[in-house]
C-alpha cells in the first residue's frame, strides 16, 4: 500500500529542484495511495494536483489549498463529494470512474464559485435518470459537464424541472445505498473467511496437514525420510499451485467495487512477495574474482561498474594497479616497475576521467614539468648505439631503370678562393687631354 511521504513528494518535484513548499504542480498518479494526507501542510501553493489511478476512498486534507485550480481524482474509490469548500480557486474537478452514488453531495460544490468544469462520467450516479438536469440546476456556476458545454436553454429547463427531478434523484440514491450496504457485508464476510483459512494454514502441522494420532504422524514422517522427493520436484509443484491459484483468481467473476479493487491489490502484493522469495532462493553467491594467482602473478581484471567518486579506491603496487569501484575490481599489470609512494590519482577537471600518474623506478620528475628525464648510463648509451647501427639499412636504387639526381651533389661544397687585392685607383694626370684644372677645388694630398 502506498502512503504520501515527504520523500515521495520530493522525488516528484524534480522540476522545482526538489523544493516542496513552493510547488505549484504535483503528480502522484499510480502510486497505490489509499489516503490523502500531508499535502495541505507541505504544499500550500499548489495549483495543479494529479492523483488519478490510486485507491483513495475519501476526499480530505485539501481544504487549505487556497490556490488549487485543478484537482484530478479519476480512477479512485471515492463515494461522496466533500471537503472541497476551502479550495476557493478550484476551476476544474475530475472525478471520472469513481463510485459516487450520492448525487446530492454535489451541493457541497456550491461554495466553489470559480468551478467551471466537472467530470462525473463512469460513476453510478451518472446512470441515474435526469442526472445531467439535476447537476446543471444545482451548480449554476458550471460551464462544462462531462466535456459537454451547458447551453443557457438547458439550464433554464433544468431549473424549471428541478422540483420534480429532486425527489426522483433521492429515491435512486436510497436504492444505490442499500445495494452498497449489501455488497459491503458480503465483502467483509468473504474477507473474514479468507483470513480464517490463512490462519488454519499457518497453524497446521509440520508438513501443512492436520493430524490426530501422534504415532501416525511419527510413522508418516519416518516414511517421508526414506521416500523423500527431490527439491526440484517440490519447487515445480509449488509453482504449479501458485499459477493455478493465480488463474483461478483472475478468472473468477466479480463486481466492480472499491472492495474488489482492494482485493486485487492485495492479491498482486502476495504474488510479488512470492516471486521475491523465489528469486532470493535462486540467487547464488558468486565466487570471488581471482586477482592474483597462487604463483603470485597479477591478472588483468575488469568488471562492469558505475563510476562514483565516493566509491573509488585506487591501490598502486610496483607491478600492477587496482581500482575498486563498488567492490568490483579493475586491475592492470604494468609493463615496468613504478613508485607507489610517488603516485597520485585525480579526477580530470576538463573530461571528468580518472587520471592515475605513476612514475617509473629510476626516473626523476622535474618541478615545473610533468615530463620524465631518464637517468641513462654510458653502458646503456653504447648499447643503444650498437643496436641502431645493426638495424640501419641502405636503400639501393638501380640507375638504369630510374633517373634520379645525384644526391651527393645537391649541396655543393664551397671552394676556397683566394682574396683579391683591391686594384689601385688611377688618378688622372695633368697630361691627360681631358683633364680640366679647376682652381676652386682644393689639391689632393
Amino acid at each position: 500500500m502506498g502512503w504520501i511521504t515527504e520523500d515521495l513528494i520530493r522525488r516528484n518535484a524534480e522540476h522545482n529542484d526538489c523544493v516542496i513548499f513552493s510547488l505549484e504542480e504535483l503528480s502522484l498518479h499510480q502510486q497505490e495511495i489509499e489516503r490523502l494526507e500531508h499535502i495541505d501542510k507541505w504544499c500550500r501553493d499548489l495549483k495543479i494536483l494529479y492523483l488519478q489511478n490510486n485507491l483513495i476512498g475519501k476526499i480530505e486534507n485539501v481544504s487549505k489549498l487556497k490556490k488549487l485550480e485543478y484537482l484530478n481524482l479519476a480512477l479512485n474509490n471515492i463515494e461522496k463529494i466533500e471537503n472541497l469548500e476551502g479550495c476557493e480557486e478550484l476551476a476544474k474537478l475530475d472525478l471520472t470512474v469513481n463510485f459516487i452514488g450520492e448525487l446530492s453531495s454535489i451541493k457541497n460544490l456550491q461554495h466553489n464559485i470559480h468551478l467551471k468544469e466537472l467530470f462525473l462520467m463512469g460513476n453510478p450516479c451518472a446512470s441515474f435518470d435526469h442526472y445531467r438536469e439535476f447537476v446543471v440546476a444545482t451548480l449554476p456556476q458550471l460551464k462544462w459537464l462531462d466535456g459537454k458545454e451547458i447551453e443557457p436553454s438547458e439550464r433554464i429547463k433544468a431549473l424549471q424541472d428541478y422540483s420534480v427531478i429532486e425527489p426522483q434523484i433521492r429515491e435512486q440514491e436510497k436504492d444505490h445505498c442499500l445495494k452498497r450496504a449489501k455488497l459491503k457485508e458480503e465483502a467483509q464476510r468473504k474477507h473474514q473467511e479468507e483470513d480464517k483459512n490463512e490462519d488454519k494454514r499457518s497453524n497446521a502441522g509440520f508438513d501443512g496437514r492436520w493430524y490426530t494420532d501422534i504415532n501416525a504422524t511419527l510413522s508418516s514422517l519416518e516414511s517421508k525420510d526414506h521416500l523423500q522427493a527431490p527439491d526440484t520436484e517440490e519447487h515445480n509443484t509449488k509453482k504449479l499451485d501458485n499459477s493455478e491459484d493465480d488463474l483461478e483468481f483472475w478468472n473468477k467473476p466479480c463486481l466492480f467495487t472499491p472492495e474488489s479493487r482492494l482485493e486485487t491489490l492485495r492479491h498482486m502484493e502476495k504474488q510479488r512477495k512470492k516471486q521475491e522469495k523465489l528469486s532470493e532462493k535462486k540467487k547464488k553467491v558468486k565466487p570471488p574474482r581471482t586477482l592474483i594467482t597462487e604463483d603470485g602473478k597479477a591478472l588483468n581484471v575488469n568488471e562492469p561498474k558505475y563510476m562514483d567518486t565516493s566509491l573509488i579506491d585506487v591501490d598502486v603496487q610496483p607491478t600492477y594497479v587496482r581500482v575498486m569501484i563498488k567492490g568490483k575490481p579493475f586491475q592492470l599489470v604494468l609493463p615496468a616497475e613504478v613508485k607507489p609512494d610517488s603516485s597520485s590519482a585525480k579526477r580530470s577537471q576538463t573530461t571528468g576521467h580518472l587520471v592515475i600518474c605513476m612514475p617509473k623506478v629510476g626516473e626523476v620528475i622535474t618541478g615545473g614539468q610533468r615530463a620524465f628525464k631518464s637517468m641513462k648510463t654510458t653502458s646503456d648509451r653504447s648499447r643503444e648505439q650498437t643496436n641502431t647501427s645493426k638495424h640501419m639499412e641502405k636503400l639501393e636504387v638501380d640507375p638504369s631503370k630510374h633517373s634520379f639526381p645525384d644526391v651527393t651533389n645537391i649541396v655543393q661544397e664551397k671552394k676556397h678562393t683566394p682574396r683579391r687585392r683591391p686594384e689601385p685607383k688611377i688618378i688622372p694626370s695633368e697630361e691627360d687631354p681631358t683633364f680640366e684644372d679647376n682652381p676652386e677645388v682644393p689639391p689632393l694630398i
Side-chain angles (χ1 to χ4, degrees):
M1 302 296 178
W3 303 97
I4 297 175
T5 60
E6 186 177 350
D7 182 51
L8 177 65
I9 296 175
R10 286 192 189 280
R11 278 191 277 112
N12 288 276
E14 293 179 354
H15 59 282
N16 199 41
D17 297 330
C18 297
V19 179
I20 63 174
F21 71 89
S22 61
L23 264 179
E24 293 186 356
E25 183 177 343
L26 180 62
S27 179
L28 296 175
H29 61 282
Q30 295 181 350
Q31 298 289 337
E32 298 179 358
I33 298 169
E34 289 192 20
R35 188 183 175 190
L36 267 174
E37 54 186 353
H38 306 307
I39 294 177
D40 58 337
K41 298 176 184 176
W42 298 338
C43 311
R44 292 285 184 92
D45 295 335
L46 272 181
K47 292 183 179 179
I48 301 172
L49 180 58
Y50 297 100
L51 290 164
Q52 66 269 28
N53 203 357
N54 283 292
L55 300 167
I56 299 167
K58 185 180 179 181
I59 303 173
E60 57 185 344
N61 298 322
V62 291
S63 59
K64 294 180 182 179
L65 301 176
K66 305 295 182 183
K67 300 179 182 179
L68 189 65
E69 297 176 4
Y70 176 35
L71 177 61
N72 192 332
L73 285 165
L75 291 163
N76 278 282
N77 295 347
I78 296 167
E79 299 187 41
K80 186 180 179 181
I81 301 172
E82 56 187 341
N83 300 324
L84 290 171
E85 296 84 1
C87 303
E88 299 172 357
E89 298 294 327
L90 188 63
K92 185 177 179 181
L93 178 62
D94 193 346
L95 294 167
T96 306
V97 190
N98 275 275
F99 300 93
I100 299 170
E102 296 184 30
L103 188 56
S104 59
S105 62
I106 63 168
K107 291 181 179 180
N108 296 325
L109 297 174
Q110 290 177 344
H111 300 284
N112 304 98
I113 58 174
H114 298 287
L115 186 64
K116 304 299 178 185
E117 294 184 62
L118 178 64
F119 292 88
L120 289 171
M121 61 178 72
N123 286 276
C125 64
S127 60
F128 290 177
D129 295 335
H130 307 292
Y131 143 76
R132 187 174 176 85
E133 293 87 343
F134 180 79
V135 177
V136 170
T138 307
L139 301 175
Q141 74 272 30
L142 271 186
K143 301 293 182 184
W144 296 78
L145 177 61
D146 294 335
K148 186 178 178 182
E149 189 175 2
I150 300 170
E151 300 292 339
S153 58
E154 185 182 4
R155 192 182 300 279
I156 292 167
K157 188 179 178 182
L159 289 169
Q160 289 173 353
D161 300 336
Y162 183 76
S163 59
V164 180
I165 292 170
E166 186 180 10
Q168 295 179 8
I169 295 292
R170 297 284 186 186
E171 289 178 5
Q172 294 178 78
E173 279 183 357
K174 287 180 181 177
D175 294 339
H176 174 76
C177 291
L178 290 171
K179 289 179 183 178
R180 280 293 300 134
K182 289 179 181 178
L183 290 172
K184 284 181 181 179
E185 288 178 2
E186 290 178 4
Q188 287 178 358
R189 186 173 65 253
K190 186 178 178 182
H191 187 59
Q192 289 174 358
E193 288 177 358
E194 288 179 355
D195 290 341
K196 286 179 182 178
N197 292 331
E198 286 181 1
D199 292 338
K200 285 180 181 179
R201 287 174 186 173
S202 61
N203 295 328
F206 305 122
D207 56 351
R209 298 179 182 177
W210 289 96
Y211 296 98
T212 53
D213 190 3
I214 298 172
N215 296 323
T217 58
L218 292 170
S219 61
S220 63
L221 287 169
E222 287 175 358
S223 63
K224 276 186 179 180
D225 292 337
H226 295 289
L227 301 170
Q228 190 174 4
D231 293 338
T232 55
E233 291 181 4
E234 290 180 1
H235 183 67
N236 291 331
T237 53
K238 284 180 181 178
K239 267 191 173 181
L240 288 170
D241 293 339
N242 291 332
S243 61
E244 287 176 1
D245 293 340
D246 194 29
L247 286 171
E248 185 182 354
F249 176 81
W250 292 114
N251 292 328
K252 183 176 62 176
C254 65
L255 297 171
F256 183 65
T257 59
E259 292 78 20
S260 64
R261 290 193 71 197
L262 290 170
E263 187 181 359
T264 53
L265 181 65
R266 292 191 192 101
H267 177 76
M268 290 170 68
E269 281 188 351
K270 286 179 183 177
Q271 294 297 323
R272 278 183 212 158
K273 289 178 181 178
K274 286 178 182 178
Q275 287 179 359
E276 286 176 0
K277 287 180 181 178
L278 290 172
S279 61
E280 286 177 0
K281 289 180 181 178
K282 287 181 181 179
K283 282 182 182 177
K284 295 180 180 179
V285 180
K286 293 183 179 179
R289 288 270 185 185
T290 54
L291 303 175
I292 300 173
T293 60
E294 295 178 356
D295 303 335
K297 183 181 178 182
L299 302 175
N300 290 328
V301 181
N302 185 17
E303 287 188 6
K305 58 194 80 69
Y306 295 98
M307 184 65 72
D308 190 353
T309 308
S310 62
L311 300 173
I312 296 175
D313 184 19
V314 182
D315 183 17
V316 180
Q317 296 295 331
T319 56
Y320 66 91
V321 58
R322 183 186 302 162
V323 182
M324 299 291 291
I325 302 171
K326 288 186 177 180
K328 295 181 179 180
F330 172 71
Q331 182 170 293
L332 286 176
V333 180
L334 303 174
E337 191 174 353
V338 299
K339 296 179 180 179
D341 297 337
S342 304
S343 302
S344 64
K346 297 179 181 178
R347 182 180 284 277
S348 175
Q349 294 182 355
T350 55
T351 61
H353 295 164
L354 178 65
V355 181
I356 304 174
C357 298
M358 298 172 287
K360 293 181 181 179
V361 174
E363 293 187 353
V364 178
I365 303 173
T366 59
Q369 298 178 352
R370 291 187 180 179
F372 299 105
K373 291 185 178 179
S374 58
M375 304 283 290
K376 294 183 179 179
T377 59
T378 55
S379 60
D380 293 337
R381 289 176 182 172
S382 62
R383 284 176 188 172
E384 288 181 1
Q385 288 176 0
T386 53
N387 289 332
T388 52
S389 63
K390 284 180 183 179
H391 291 292
M392 284 178 63
E393 294 181 358
K394 292 182 180 180
L395 180 64
E396 295 182 0
V397 180
D398 188 3
S400 61
K401 294 182 180 179
H402 303 282
S403 61
F404 291 100
D406 189 3
V407 181
T408 58
N409 295 328
I410 288 176
V411 180
Q412 295 181 358
E413 295 181 0
K414 292 182 180 180
K415 295 180 180 179
H416 181 69
T417 56
R419 293 183 180 179
R420 292 181 182 180
R421 293 180 182 178
E423 295 180 358
K425 294 180 180 179
I426 300 170
I427 302 171
S429 61
E430 294 179 356
E431 294 178 358
D432 191 356
T434 59
F435 176 75
E436 292 181 3
D437 190 9
N438 192 352
E440 296 179 0
V441 177
L444 296 174
I445 299 173

